[in-house]
Amino acid sequence: PDPSIEEKELIIPTGETKKPAVDTVLETPKPGFCLKTRSEDRQKVFVNICTSDKIGETPDISAAELERIIETEDVGKFRVPMSVGPPHGEVDKSGTACTAYDVVVHPGFCAKVQREEAFMNFLVSTTLIVIEQKYGVKLVHEACTVLKNKRQMGQLEPQLMRMTKKPFVVELNSQPSSKPGCQESQKPASLRLPCKHSVVVEPAEGRPEFVVVEVQSKLMKSKAGLQLDVGEDRIELVVRPGGYRLELDLPHWVHPEQGGAQFHCQKQTLTLTLPVQEGEG
């Protein structure tokens, strides 16, 4: 095989051992209410709807406005900021093994969905879809119920919560850009990675499916010297030795855990391909 591409492999971290991005905070959420459903293979599944004021507020619209959005199938006009934690194994009151997920929303929205049925239905449906997409499970939506006397299943785990969404970025290169919406992290010049880099959305027209990021620098010698953190709306690359840093905002929210990264030794180029989240674009 071509020795210049022997180091081609997935290098996106899972996040367990990487430091959090600058726009996130590690916090244990507070219990709100609990959903119970099952997977298609008949395993019990619980969803803990939790709260934290570190999560962004949901737009305050009326039930009538929500119904109009749903009827027109333009759900992208109403987004619910949330943080979805990984599954954790639990045991229900009968001693049967089950799975629980922690989903964190703003406390104001949590209170609203418990008052208004339309928003409860919307949150339940959205939450199940997000869990299915993020963790590759199949849930039985019609079996989902809200438990009346149980606020959580198991112990709530700390989560890295993104506090703000970054500005829209269309394209970045090694020269300062005068295009509106373009922004590069303001780091000391001695730490900024000298490179050429671009952010491209594919396909160019229609609904975006992938964000492709390409970074080329003579300082990137091998994958061993690259530290890469990928979030839902930004990436951070550190090249060692030297600690040269590059931070880029992404034009759409992506699925980091479903992405792929390739490093080409001969070209000294890192390429990331990141699937765009549903509802973006």
Side-chain angles (χ1 to χ4, degrees), residues 165-281:
K165 183 174 180 180
K166 294 300 175 179
F168 182 86
V169 177
V170 176
E171 183 176 355
L172 291 171
N173 51 49
S174 57
Q175 300 298 323
S177 174
S178 60
K179 293 181 180 180
C182 293
Q183 179 172 322
E184 185 174 350
S185 175
Q186 300 301 312
K187 294 288 181 180
S190 59
L191 292 180
R192 185 174 300 152
L193 178 67
C195 66
K196 296 180 180 179
H197 52 278
S198 64
V199 179
V200 178
V201 177
E202 296 182 350
E205 298 181 358
R207 182 195 174 279
E209 297 182 7
F210 297 93
V211 174
V212 180
V213 181
E214 186 172 283
V215 182
Q216 183 180 33
S217 174
K218 294 181 179 180
L219 296 180
M220 298 193 303
K221 305 297 185 181
S222 71
K223 71 178 181 65
L226 305 181
Q227 177 183 318
L228 178 64
D229 285 308
V230 181
E232 290 183 308
D233 65 349
R234 64 185 284 121
I235 67 168
E236 177 179 303
L237 174 65
V238 178
V239 177
R240 303 187 187 282
Y244 292 93
R245 183 184 305 269
L246 174 69
E247 294 182 5
L248 297 177
D249 297 328
L250 301 177
H252 299 282
W253 287 12
V254 300
H255 292 291
E257 70 283 353
Q258 298 176 17
Q262 297 176 352
F263 179 68
H264 197 297
C265 297
Q266 186 175 5
K267 295 181 179 180
Q268 295 178 301
T269 300
L270 175 68
T271 303
L272 290 82
T273 303
L274 306 168
V276 174
Q277 294 185 16
E278 293 292 331
E280 282 288 300

Side-chain angles (χ1 to χ4, degrees), residues 10-11 17 50 74 83 100 104 120 165 180 183 188 205 222 244 254:
L10 182 70
I11 60 174
T17 60
C50 321
D74 194 7
S83 176
V104 190
M120 173 66 80
K165 183 174 180 180
Q183 179 172 322
E205 298 181 358
S222 71
Y244 292 93
V254 300

